[in-house]
Amino acid sequence: MAKAPAIFVTLAASLAAAPSYAEPVDVAIAARGVPVKGKRANRVVDLLRDAAAERSELRLFDAAKERRLFATPAPRDPRKAVERATKIVERGQESLRNFDLADAEQKLARAFRILKPYLGLPEALEADTKRLYLGVALAHAQRNETAMTNLLLEYATRYPDRPPSDAGWPPDVMERLDSVKRLPQSSIVVRSEPSAETFVDGTARGPTPRTVSPVPAGRHRVALEAPGYYRATKWVDAQAAKSVDVTIPLAPDLGDRLAKDDEDAPSAETVAAVGRIARERNIGAVLLVHPQKDNRMRVSFVSTGERPRVTAAFEVAASKDGAKTAMSQIALHLKTLEAKRPDVPIWAWVGAGAGLAAVGTGVALRMVALGTQDEFERRAGTVTQADAFDLRDRAESQARGGAVLLGAGVATIVGVASWVALDWIEGE
């Protein structure tokens, strides 16, 4: 019974908050169908930004933030590189067993070069520990004390909770690791936008904001993952007995999607993803520009909101004059949208009010029916059979009447809301 008033309140709020293009529209610009950081993408985006800056109807979104939202390519997938490095480490271990120290050292250096960009990530955790196993064993065989100390320190810093039980290190090396493990402790406070799952040196630590403690003082890799966003990583130097704060922004996973969307019109999936991100940033519209052959470009106006969609598209020359023409057409399009946007008719308010009145009356009748039923049960055994039948019939009649009024009221409110919503959609 509480749903109907809630529907009416939602309808009233929607009518009051109907979008309007009377004020300048906050717009962002993104290229599609080409590499997001390529020359063609940069050129057409810059052309449109320069032309949009001259229009009072448009207000440009911050260029640096715009690039992070729409022009960030996906990070390289580490899995192939990690698999390759693992095989090289395994061959290095075989060389060490055969006492070919020079070949083992060569393979260790090669594996490190491949793994270096991915150290501290979950995918590289196993491969990196194997690399350190090999490195320490090789340094011990070569009597290279400096290399062994550095590798043990690296292991103790990043993997304090992973005992090297299968490393094959001799007892004196394990004793040195135990002494190295007595490192000063620190903590890392991780924040992000949006909230994301936190990984420190490849180990999950929970969602942000998150205080990761204790961690050994030293260098750590912090990685963040959230649905709909690219993974973001950062190396953090944690100091002894101190807490270090780090805030890491995540870029939406739109760069590759936009680069691959090279059809004449942007795909529905692209429009929905772009619209969602834009709406989160209070961006009123996104101009998707697609470079064409013969020095042309196609500009699609994506109106953001609860249902993002392309409301206009223009093909113009990929030049300053073409960009100005596109902006003039967009300005005209905004005026057309404003003119078409219907005012809420009085019948909508009257209908909604009538529906609410019916709901209120229905609720009242149901309450009366409950009262009559209570009276019937209270007087049972003390009234004549005719009076009992009368009380029961009256309760059932009141309940039926209340149910009918409730249904009619809810149907009226929903119908009015749907009709007004359809008018808005058609008006846009």
Side-chain angles (χ1 to χ4, degrees):
M1 288 188 293
K3 289 183 178 179
I7 292 172
F8 181 75
V9 171
T10 302
L11 173 63
S14 300
L15 299 180
S20 172
Y21 293 110
E23 296 297 323
V25 179
D26 290 303
V27 297
I29 303 171
R32 67 179 184 88
V34 290
V36 292
K37 287 192 174 180
K39 291 182 178 179
R40 295 182 72 192
N42 292 336
R43 177 172 177 263
V44 292
V45 169
D46 288 344
L47 284 173
L48 288 182
R49 286 192 68 85
D50 291 343
E54 299 177 3
R55 306 295 312 198
S56 61
E57 303 90 347
L58 303 173
R59 187 165 46 220
L60 284 167
F61 190 61
D62 179 81
K65 293 180 180 179
E66 179 182 87
R67 285 186 64 78
R68 188 170 68 80
L69 290 181
F70 302 120
T72 301
R76 184 177 298 176
D77 190 334
R79 286 173 294 185
K80 288 185 178 180
V82 168
E83 183 179 349
R84 183 181 168 207
T86 301
K87 292 179 180 178
I88 294 172
V89 168
E90 290 171 351
R91 292 200 295 269
Q93 291 170 335
E94 182 66 25
S95 296
L96 181 61
R97 284 192 291 269
N98 293 329
F99 301 102
D100 189 347
L101 303 187
D103 187 67
E105 186 175 13
Q106 183 182 32
K107 287 180 168 54
L108 178 66
R110 186 179 171 196
F112 176 70
R113 286 195 300 270
I114 296 172
L115 277 177
K116 188 175 181 180
Y118 312 110
L119 295 180
L121 297 182
E123 296 89 342
L125 194 150
E126 295 297 333
D128 188 39
T129 53
K130 288 183 178 180
R131 174 189 71 87
L132 291 170
Y133 291 171
L134 173 60
V136 170
L138 179 62
H140 181 264
Q142 294 174 325
R143 300 295 187 265
N144 189 335
E145 297 296 322
T146 301
M148 185 187 301
T149 300
N150 290 337
L151 289 167
L152 288 174
L153 181 60
E154 186 179 354
Y155 188 93
T157 301
R158 284 212 304 277
Y159 310 121
D161 300 323
R162 290 176 65 87
S165 54
D166 56 346
W169 294 340
D172 61 318
V173 173
M174 296 298 292
E175 289 177 5
R176 289 185 62 171
L177 176 64
D178 289 338
S179 65
V180 170
K181 275 188 173 182
R182 293 193 286 271
L183 292 168
Q185 298 299 296
S186 179
S187 61
I188 304 173
V189 181
V190 186
R191 298 181 177 86
S192 67
E193 177 57 42
S195 180
E197 184 69 20
T198 306
F199 294 84
V200 176
D201 298 324
T203 301
R205 296 301 190 105
T208 58
R210 170 71 47 179
T211 298
V212 182
S213 177
V215 293
R219 200 160 186 250
H220 299 273
R221 186 82 173 265
V222 178
L224 299 178
E225 296 181 359
Y229 291 81
Y230 294 139
R231 172 195 279 166
T233 70
K234 188 172 184 177
W235 284 101
V236 177
D237 291 317
Q239 299 182 16
K242 291 185 179 180
S243 177
V244 57
D245 284 26
V246 57
T247 300
I248 305 176
L250 281 77
D253 61 350
L254 289 175
D256 284 1
R257 182 193 298 273
L258 287 168
K260 295 174 182 177
D261 192 359
D262 60 354
E263 298 298 324
D264 287 343
S267 68
E269 293 78 10
T270 295
V271 171
V274 167
R276 174 178 60 83
I277 295 300
R279 188 168 63 250
E280 290 175 359
R281 271 70 176 183
N282 295 318
I283 302 172
V286 178
L287 307 183
L288 293 181
V289 54
H290 182 199
Q292 307 279 301
K293 295 179 180 179
D294 301 323
N295 200 33
R296 306 280 294 175
M297 60 183 178
R298 184 176 182 82
V299 182
S300 301
F301 183 93
V302 178
S303 177
T304 62
E306 293 301 321
R307 193 169 70 91
R309 58 198 179 280
V310 175
T311 57
F314 315 99
E315 186 171 323
V316 294
S319 63
K320 289 184 179 180
D321 290 339
K324 289 180 179 180
T325 299
M327 291 303 111
S328 297
Q329 291 175 312
I330 288 171
L332 180 61
H333 176 62
L334 290 172
K335 291 180 181 178
T336 303
L337 290 178
E338 183 64 26
K340 284 185 176 181
R341 191 175 302 279
D343 293 330
V344 180
I346 188 65
W347 61 262
W349 294 109
V350 172
L356 187 61
V359 168
T361 304
V363 170
L365 275 175
R366 294 298 295 268
M367 297 297 290
V368 171
L370 288 175
T372 303
Q373 181 67 27
D374 289 342
E375 181 183 356
F376 171 73
E377 293 175 356
R378 189 174 60 255
R379 295 174 61 188
T382 63
V383 296
T384 64
Q385 187 174 10
D387 289 339
F389 282 140
D390 181 60
L391 284 172
R392 188 183 62 185
D393 290 343
R394 194 191 318 163
E396 291 177 354
S397 176
Q398 290 165 345
R400 282 195 300 270
V404 169
L405 285 171
L406 272 172
V410 171
T412 300
I413 294 172
V414 172
V416 169
S418 301
W419 199 328
V420 171
L422 286 173
D423 277 351
W424 283 351
I425 294 171
E426 291 174 359
E428 294 179 355

